[in-house]
């Protein structure tokens, strides 16, 4: 593979990593499924062990009960196989999930700082995760004073970003 081909493939994988975050924060199951192979294996430690699709369903069911969520991926290292059909990556993940109390008000936030270690395959021209192992490096709970949220939507019906991307 040429250097340019390697960069193009790495960028396609990076785009899938970002789509994963978008799926979680916009509560978009179909987008979440598109990041994983149908037979993907996922190990999120004590949180979940099973399929990629099952993880998306479980996590988004939890997210629907929260006030808001915010996922970010950074420090991504990607290595491609010589034939360009397989890859591995390690990505640092930060998530802030704002939970409701019994009155439906924001009461505490769980901050998770993990590393996603993914095995990828290019199937039908698209990179998908076939195996994910998550290392939970630093997770804790905060009980801060909250400010009002603005210009946000938690599903593709309300969120402006869907309209934005469809405008091009």
């Amino acid at each position: 593979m040429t250097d340019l081909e390697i960069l193009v493939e790495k960028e396609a994988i990076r785009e899938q990593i970002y789509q994963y975050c978008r799926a979680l924060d916009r509560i978009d199951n179909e987008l979440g499924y598109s990041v994983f192979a149908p037979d993907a294996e996922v190990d999120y430690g004590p949180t979940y062990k099973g399929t990629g699709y099952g993880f998306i369903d479980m996590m988004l069911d939890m997210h629907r009960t929260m006030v808001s969520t915010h996922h970010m991926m950074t420090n991504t290292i990607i290595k491609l196989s010589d034939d360009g059909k397989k890859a591995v990556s390690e990505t640092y993940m930060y998530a802030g999930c704002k939970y409701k109390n019994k009155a439906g008000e924001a009461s505490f936030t769980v901050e998770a700082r993990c590393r996603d270690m993914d095995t990828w395959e290019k199937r039908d021209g698209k990179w998908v995760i076939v195996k994910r192992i998550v290392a939970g490096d630093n997770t804790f709970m905060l009980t801060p004073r909250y400010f009002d949220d603005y210009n946000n939507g938690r599903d593709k019906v309300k969120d402006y970003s869907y309209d934005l991307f469809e405008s091009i």
Side-chain angles (χ1 to χ4, degrees):
M1 296 180 72
T2 67
D3 287 347
L4 182 57
E5 289 170 328
I6 291 168
L7 285 174
V8 167
E9 298 301 334
K10 285 184 174 184
E11 185 58 25
I13 291 169
R14 203 175 332 273
E15 180 75 13
Q16 283 289 78
I17 292 168
Y18 298 153
Q19 292 295 351
Y20 168 75
C21 288
R22 188 165 201 258
L24 293 178
D25 291 336
R26 300 287 62 85
I27 308 179
D28 187 336
N29 290 65
E30 292 303 317
L31 182 58
Y33 301 154
S34 74
V35 176
F36 291 94
D39 58 340
E41 300 172 19
V42 174
D43 181 350
Y44 268 79
T47 303
Y48 179 86
K49 286 182 177 64
T51 67
Y53 288 14
F55 173 77
I56 291 295
D57 290 338
M58 183 272 306
M59 188 57 64
L60 294 186
D61 284 347
M62 286 177 50
H63 281 28
R64 284 179 179 91
T65 68
M66 298 175 191
V67 175
S68 64
T69 61
H70 191 96
H71 292 75
M72 293 184 290
M73 303 301 225
T74 66
N75 300 7
T76 301
I77 300 170
I78 301 167
K79 183 177 181 182
L80 294 168
S81 63
D82 289 340
D83 64 5
K85 295 180 182 178
K86 294 184 179 188
V88 294
S89 66
E90 178 187 55
T91 304
Y92 283 64
M93 187 272 296
Y94 164 84
C97 298
K98 193 186 302 182
Y99 285 78
K100 298 176 187 177
N101 61 19
K102 290 181 182 179
E105 302 161 333
S107 63
F108 68 94
T109 294
V110 171
E111 288 199 8
R113 296 175 185 163
C114 305
R115 287 176 295 118
D116 292 348
M117 295 169 281
D118 296 325
T119 302
W120 299 84
E121 288 182 6
K122 194 166 189 181
R123 295 186 180 177
D124 298 322
K126 182 177 179 182
W127 287 101
V128 290
I129 296 169
V130 295
K131 184 175 182 180
R132 170 172 278 178
I133 296 175
V134 177
D137 294 328
N138 186 358
T139 299
F140 50 93
M141 183 172 44
L142 300 170
T143 55
R145 180 175 168 257
Y146 290 104
F147 299 97
D148 290 337
D149 293 335
Y150 57 91
N151 292 338
N152 66 349
R154 302 258 352 265
D155 59 56
K156 61 186 172 185
V157 174
K158 294 185 284 185
D159 193 74
Y160 171 70
S161 67
Y162 282 84
D163 293 335
L164 180 67
F165 284 106
E166 289 173 5
S167 73
I168 298 292

